[in-house]
Amino acid sequence: MTATSDLGAARPASPDLLRSVFRRHPAGVAVVTARGRSGPVGFTATSLASVSAEPPMLSFGVSTGGSSWPAIAETEHVGVHLLGEHQQALAATFARRGADRFGPGTAWREGPEGVPVLDGVPAWMVCRVTARVPAGDHRIVVAEVLAGDPTGHGRPLVYHQGRFSGLPD
Amino acid sequence: MTATSDLGAARPASPDLLRSVFRRHPAGVAVVTARGRSGPVGFTATSLASVSAEPPMLSFGVSTGGSSWPAIAETEHVGVHLLGEHQQALAATFARRGADRFGPGTAWREGPEGVPVLDGVPAWMVCRVTARVPAGDHRIVVAEVLAGDPTGHGRPLVYHQGRFSGLPD
């Protein structure tokens, strides 16, 4: 062990520090959907994580400034989809402010509990929201998995260094 | 849109369904550390996510059945480290039950707020815990970033299909 003075390049926290760290942290790419009062909503999330095995639960973050928040704030159920490396355009659509996310370029159907389920994804789940935890400018949504299909085709899409890509074979 | 009956392979939730889905969800690999009453503790986490930009906050999951939980349950500060592809052995050590995690194979020093900081990682942060949210057999820890260094060497380590690997160039 050496002294704290050896901690070299440590710098105080800032949004920029957080961004610099997480640019180096690869993440699978998900799209979260819900049935809103005036139609389906959804957004791309790189914060999806498995939380608990018994009962099966997951979490993801949602910006309270985004277009999906009003629906996510009051919905009982959400759809959670893992995107494949062939779905980069879909990931971009669900991340772009003002995009027509459920337009002609998005194939979907109504799934269990009325949640929008996207076609052609490697895996999807329908979940019941159990908590929306305030955390700065976001909420952490905690949800229990009700049903799902892990058998879709495709290798995963990965977000890293601000870009979407695939994984090595 | 087609009817719900087209949802083919959907099956009811179970720990196995969750595992099958998340085996297909790649994740960066982190080690979370804290100063416990009887020495340093730490564990490998594949649930690390950036949560809020202002203030900079992150979250990760911790099993309430693991050896680190007693310390994480009462610590004010944690160290969060992104592992590099050269640190597969370290990831395995901090994931293995009963391993001597801060033994001779682990290079570390005492960092800000007394948290153990691992040597040779691509990036690390010291954070103040703001919440421990119950979620089934885990807690979701929410923490505000206080300081960090995003400038270490190495490309990221990735966990996917139950294995550690690197990313393509």
Side-chain angles (χ1 to χ4, degrees):
Chain A
M1 286 199 7
T2 56
T4 303
S5 58
D6 284 301
L7 290 166
R11 34 164 140 140
S14 67
D16 181 62
L17 171 70
L18 189 81
R19 200 175 307 118
S20 298
V21 171
F22 277 93
R23 275 181 67 85
R24 305 186 68 175
H25 186 62
V29 181
V31 165
V32 177
T33 60
R35 185 168 55 175
R37 286 176 190 223
S38 48
V41 303
F43 63 98
T44 298
T46 56
S47 57
L48 177 67
S50 170
V51 169
S52 164
E54 304 249 27
M57 299 179 78
L58 53 77
S59 70
F60 57 85
V62 55
S63 166
T64 52
S67 61
S68 298
W69 172 241
I72 298 293
E74 58 181 32
T75 190
E76 201 176 336
H77 297 99
V78 291
V80 176
H81 311 76
L82 307 192
L83 296 199
E85 60 184 2
H86 59 293
Q87 293 176 307
Q88 212 165 309
L90 199 66
T93 297
F94 276 85
R96 198 165 56 237
R97 193 171 283 269
D100 183 10
R101 297 181 180 177
F102 291 88
T106 301
W108 64 283
R109 65 239 193 240
E110 195 175 318
E113 309 295 346
V115 304
V117 172
L118 303 176
D119 286 350
V121 295
W124 62 267
M125 296 163 284
V126 171
C127 311
R128 187 176 58 82
V129 175
T130 61
R132 297 167 183 86
V133 183
D137 52 28
H138 279 60
R139 293 288 183 284
I140 300 170
V141 177
V142 187
E144 183 173 346
V145 181
L146 301 182
D149 178 5
T151 67
H153 293 295
R155 293 168 49 79
L157 186 62
V158 179
Y159 189 68
H160 179 235
Q161 297 273 22
R163 284 190 302 270
F164 296 115
S165 66
L167 283 175
D169 285 323
Chain B
M1 283 198 12
T2 57
T4 303
S5 58
D6 284 300
L7 289 166
R11 35 164 140 142
S14 67
D16 181 61
L17 171 70
L18 189 81
R19 201 175 306 118
S20 298
V21 171
F22 277 93
R23 275 181 67 85
R24 306 187 68 176
H25 186 62
V29 181
V31 165
V32 176
T33 60
R35 185 169 54 175
R37 285 174 191 226
S38 48
V41 303
F43 63 97
T44 298
T46 56
S47 58
L48 178 67
S50 169
V51 170
S52 164
E54 305 246 26
M57 300 179 78
L58 53 76
S59 69
F60 56 84
V62 56
S63 165
T64 52
S67 60
S68 298
W69 172 241
I72 299 292
E74 58 180 32
T75 190
E76 200 176 340
H77 297 98
V78 290
V80 176
H81 312 76
L82 307 193
L83 296 199
E85 59 185 2
H86 59 292
Q87 293 177 308
Q88 211 164 309
L90 198 66
T93 296
F94 276 86
R96 197 165 57 238
R97 193 172 282 270
D100 183 10
R101 297 182 181 177
F102 291 88
T106 301
W108 64 284
R109 64 235 194 245
E110 194 174 320
E113 309 296 346
V115 302
V117 172
L118 303 176
D119 285 350
V121 295
W124 61 269
M125 296 164 284
V126 171
C127 309
R128 186 177 58 82
V129 175
T130 62
R132 296 167 184 87
V133 183
D137 52 27
H138 279 61
R139 294 288 184 285
I140 300 171
V141 177
V142 188
E144 183 173 345
V145 181
L146 300 181
D149 178 6
T151 67
H153 293 294
R155 293 169 49 79
L157 186 63
V158 178
Y159 188 69
H160 180 236
Q161 297 273 24
R163 284 191 302 271
F164 296 113
S165 67
L167 282 175
D169 285 324

